[in-house]
Amino acid sequence: MTDLARFSINQMTVKQLTLPDLAAACRDLGVINVGLWREPVQEYGVAAAAKLVRDAGLTVTTLCRGGFLTATDPEARAAALADNRRAVDEAAALGTDTLVLVSGGLPPGERSLAAARERIADALAELAPYAGEHGVRLAIEPLHPMYAADRCVVSTLTQALDLAERFPAHQVGVTVDTYHVWWDDRAPAEIARAGAGGRIHTFQLADWTTPLPEGVLNGRGQLGDGSIDLREWQGHVEAAGYTGPIEVELFNEALWSRDGREVLAETAHRFVTHTAL
Amino acid sequence: MTDLARFSINQMTVKQLTLPDLAAACRDLGVINVGLWREPVQEYGVAAAAKLVRDAGLTVTTLCRGGFLTATDPEARAAALADNRRAVDEAAALGTDTLVLVSGGLPPGERSLAAARERIADALAELAPYAGEHGVRLAIEPLHPMYAADRCVVSTLTQALDLAERFPAHQVGVTVDTYHVWWDDRAPAEIARAGAGGRIHTFQLADWTTPLPEGVLNGRGQLGDGSIDLREWQGHVEAAGYTGPIEVELFNEALWSRDGREVLAETAHRFVTHTAL
């Protein structure tokens, strides 16, 4: 096993690279796993993207992302469900077994996070069997509480597992991303709970750097640049039985402004430096 | 009791006003409570400020803020303790029984939030008796998890109470601020816990608006402009037995750019509109 055997580069980290350039860069650097995003995959063509990564010998560790399931409006809800079924289809076509879900924020005028989470549960009741039939696991990703209003009403692993455990583990589990959970002193116990149930469907790394940028979306730190003890979190998921790929997903304007191959090489190097292999 | 009997204007909300202008504006609008900040009070002179607010018939509901107790360096720690003793003295001089504590972030190079919280406990062991002797209660304020690295390693009411409960309630309690706790589904139960122990030492309101500004410090929303059900949180603290003043503390560049009296009048109006009296 090489040092990069478990490393997966999430496409968003190097979004300046086209899919073919990403595949070529992975080959040159010995990277064998990628996490893909729906929008660039759709732009390239799902079937063409599937062939490209297959021909390059790449394993697709996750597809990001489904979700946005908090609508109160019936038409918006139906559209979201249809879009999530397409996301499942795309994941299956790409050969990945994991679709990451970002649950969605509060609809305009709504103030109840609890009610929004119940709407997600209702939506999952329709989507989970569909995903299971297609060999795709839904991985609910709790996002940092700073996104609770406008992006994701699921803010903790506790909440994510409370939702996931209403369904079989081969249908619904969770995404553990250090950026979103590092502040939470209950997260280690919840990782153990997730592992015991076979529900850690993906593990992602990003570091926490400050000051946060306006909108707080694109300030995820390169591994080692921030406040998170990444090895400690890797230890938590591994103690919980997780031995799968480790994705590095960085939304970072500074990284996006640089040469994509250089960023990929740096990220692979940081991965080796800041994880325990 | 007038609609504004429980309303307290935190000085930071209208920091464009000098202390005398704030006192005059309060008198004109029928505002009888203020929360003060150390820096402008020190600039005006502590004794002079105490006389000013006393002569204006104002009650000082809190002094903001002590804290920043996470240093590892012995000299920095001693300086922080000395500064917090001065803050207690200032609170006593101003006639308020409550000093709000913002605990501090991770020192450079440190990655353990748990260890930093233990250093806070150690510091409180020295400060709490001193505060108690001066008739001042320390009110640990959990800040939103987005500040965990650089400002406050105490991110939840659970953590704040775990610290506070090591000391008598008349020495150490908590600050409940809607801006910091609204995302937390455990907070209502923790408010009940705090109330049962007589540890809700102040209750503050701010609304949650997005997008967050760069640095995420100065985007606290005017009451009613955001995603928080303020009445629901007021209900939680009142069900827990809290009947004290309700402070409105907004850090908001847009509010600061306007006429201070106008902002104070608007804030008082929003308070009446968005709280249950």
Side-chain angles (χ1 to χ4, degrees):
Chain A
M1 190 169 88
T2 76
D3 287 351
L4 294 178
R6 293 181 67 196
F7 173 65
S8 177
I9 183 71
N10 186 285
Q11 178 172 22
M12 191 57 90
T13 305
V14 286
K15 72 170 187 177
Q16 61 272 54
L17 293 177
T18 64
L19 257 182
D21 286 349
L22 173 61
C26 284
R27 188 192 52 225
D28 294 349
L29 289 162
V31 173
I32 60 172
N33 304 297
V34 290
L36 297 180
W37 276 66
R38 293 185 68 199
E39 293 76 2
V41 164
Q42 288 169 351
E43 201 173 312
Y44 191 78
V46 178
K51 181 175 187 319
L52 177 80
V53 294
R54 198 169 51 238
D55 291 350
L58 289 166
T59 297
V60 182
T61 50
T62 65
L63 180 64
C64 298
R65 60 199 182 176
F68 296 93
L69 299 169
T70 53
T72 46
D73 173 68
E75 277 188 39
R77 180 174 185 276
L81 287 170
D83 186 56
N84 275 274
R85 286 192 197 92
R86 281 192 298 274
V88 168
D89 298 343
E90 291 163 13
L94 292 166
T96 180
D97 62 0
T98 303
L99 176 66
V100 174
L101 295 190
V102 171
S103 298
L106 291 170
E110 294 286 324
R111 288 195 167 86
S112 172
L113 297 169
R117 285 194 289 269
E118 276 310 304
R119 291 196 295 279
I120 294 165
D122 291 345
L124 289 174
E126 299 196 27
L127 290 174
Y130 184 84
E133 287 160 20
H134 291 75
V136 174
R137 309 174 303 177
L138 306 175
I140 302 172
E141 181 166 19
L143 294 204
H144 192 284
M146 67 188 177
Y147 303 115
D150 56 355
R151 189 156 295 261
C152 186
V153 297
V154 177
S155 302
T156 63
L157 277 171
T158 312
Q159 293 168 351
L161 284 165
D162 286 349
L163 285 167
E165 288 175 355
R166 303 189 196 191
F167 308 95
H170 76 276
Q171 291 178 1
V172 188
V174 299
T175 296
V176 178
D177 183 322
T178 55
Y179 191 78
H180 298 303
V181 306
W182 80 282
W183 60 272
D184 184 2
D185 53 4
R186 301 178 77 210
E190 296 298 306
I191 287 172
R193 170 185 167 195
R199 292 183 193 270
I200 304 177
H201 289 348
T202 177
F203 176 49
Q204 299 181 332
L205 299 179
D207 213 336
W208 182 272
T209 52
T210 56
L212 295 166
E214 183 182 359
V216 301
L217 274 181
N218 302 326
R220 300 195 196 180
Q222 178 59 279
L223 310 187
D225 282 353
S227 302
I228 305 179
D229 188 332
L230 299 168
R231 271 202 190 80
E232 184 183 318
W233 290 98
Q234 183 187 0
H236 291 312
V237 298
E238 293 185 354
Y242 184 81
T243 56
I246 302 175
E247 261 186 44
V248 181
E249 184 189 51
L250 310 176
F251 295 19
N252 185 307
E253 296 286 357
L255 295 180
W256 291 336
S257 71
R258 291 167 49 195
D259 176 75
R261 279 183 169 248
E262 181 190 304
V263 172
L264 177 54
E266 174 186 283
T267 304
H269 177 71
R270 295 291 187 100
F271 178 85
V272 172
T273 306
H274 295 283
T275 58
L277 297 165
Chain B
M1 188 170 88
T2 76
D3 287 350
L4 294 179
R6 293 181 66 195
F7 172 66
S8 177
I9 185 71
N10 185 286
Q11 178 173 22
M12 192 57 90
T13 306
V14 286
K15 72 169 186 177
Q16 62 271 56
L17 293 177
T18 64
L19 256 182
D21 285 349
L22 174 61
C26 284
R27 187 190 55 226
D28 295 348
L29 290 162
V31 173
I32 60 171
N33 304 299
V34 290
L36 297 180
W37 275 66
R38 293 184 69 198
E39 292 77 1
V41 163
Q42 289 169 350
E43 200 173 314
Y44 192 78
V46 177
K51 181 175 189 320
L52 177 79
V53 294
R54 197 168 53 238
D55 290 351
L58 289 166
T59 297
V60 181
T61 50
T62 65
L63 179 64
C64 298
R65 61 196 182 184
F68 296 93
L69 299 169
T70 53
T72 46
D73 173 70
E75 277 188 37
R77 180 172 185 277
L81 287 170
D83 187 57
N84 275 272
R85 287 191 196 93
R86 281 193 297 275
V88 168
D89 299 342
E90 291 163 13
L94 292 166
T96 179
D97 62 1
T98 304
L99 175 65
V100 174
L101 294 191
V102 170
S103 298
L106 290 171
E110 295 286 324
R111 289 193 166 89
S112 172
L113 297 169
R117 286 193 289 269
E118 276 311 303
R119 292 196 294 278
I120 295 166
D122 291 344
L124 289 175
E126 300 196 27
L127 291 174
Y130 184 85
E133 287 160 20
H134 290 76
V136 173
R137 309 174 303 177
L138 306 175
I140 302 171
E141 181 166 18
L143 295 204
H144 192 284
M146 68 187 176
Y147 303 114
D150 56 353
R151 189 155 294 262
C152 186
V153 297
V154 177
S155 302
T156 63
L157 277 171
T158 312
Q159 293 167 351
L161 284 165
D162 287 349
L163 285 167
E165 288 174 354
R166 303 190 195 191
F167 308 95
H170 76 277
Q171 291 180 1
V172 187
V174 299
T175 297
V176 178
D177 183 322
T178 54
Y179 191 77
H180 297 302
V181 306
W182 80 283
W183 59 272
D184 183 2
D185 53 4
R186 301 177 78 209
E190 296 298 304
I191 287 171
R193 170 185 166 194
R199 292 184 194 269
I200 304 177
H201 289 347
T202 178
F203 176 48
Q204 299 181 332
L205 299 180
D207 213 336
W208 183 271
T209 52
T210 56
L212 294 166
E214 184 183 356
V216 301
L217 273 180
N218 301 327
R220 300 194 197 182
Q222 177 60 279
L223 310 187
D225 283 352
S227 302
I228 305 178
D229 188 333
L230 300 168
R231 271 202 188 80
E232 183 182 318
W233 289 99
Q234 184 187 1
H236 291 312
V237 298
E238 294 186 352
Y242 184 80
T243 56
I246 302 176
E247 262 187 43
V248 181
E249 184 189 51
L250 310 176
F251 293 21
N252 185 306
E253 296 285 356
L255 295 180
W256 291 335
S257 71
R258 292 168 47 194
D259 176 75
R261 279 183 170 250
E262 180 190 304
V263 172
L264 177 54
E266 175 186 283
T267 304
H269 177 71
R270 294 293 187 98
F271 178 85
V272 173
T273 306
H274 295 282
T275 58
L277 297 165

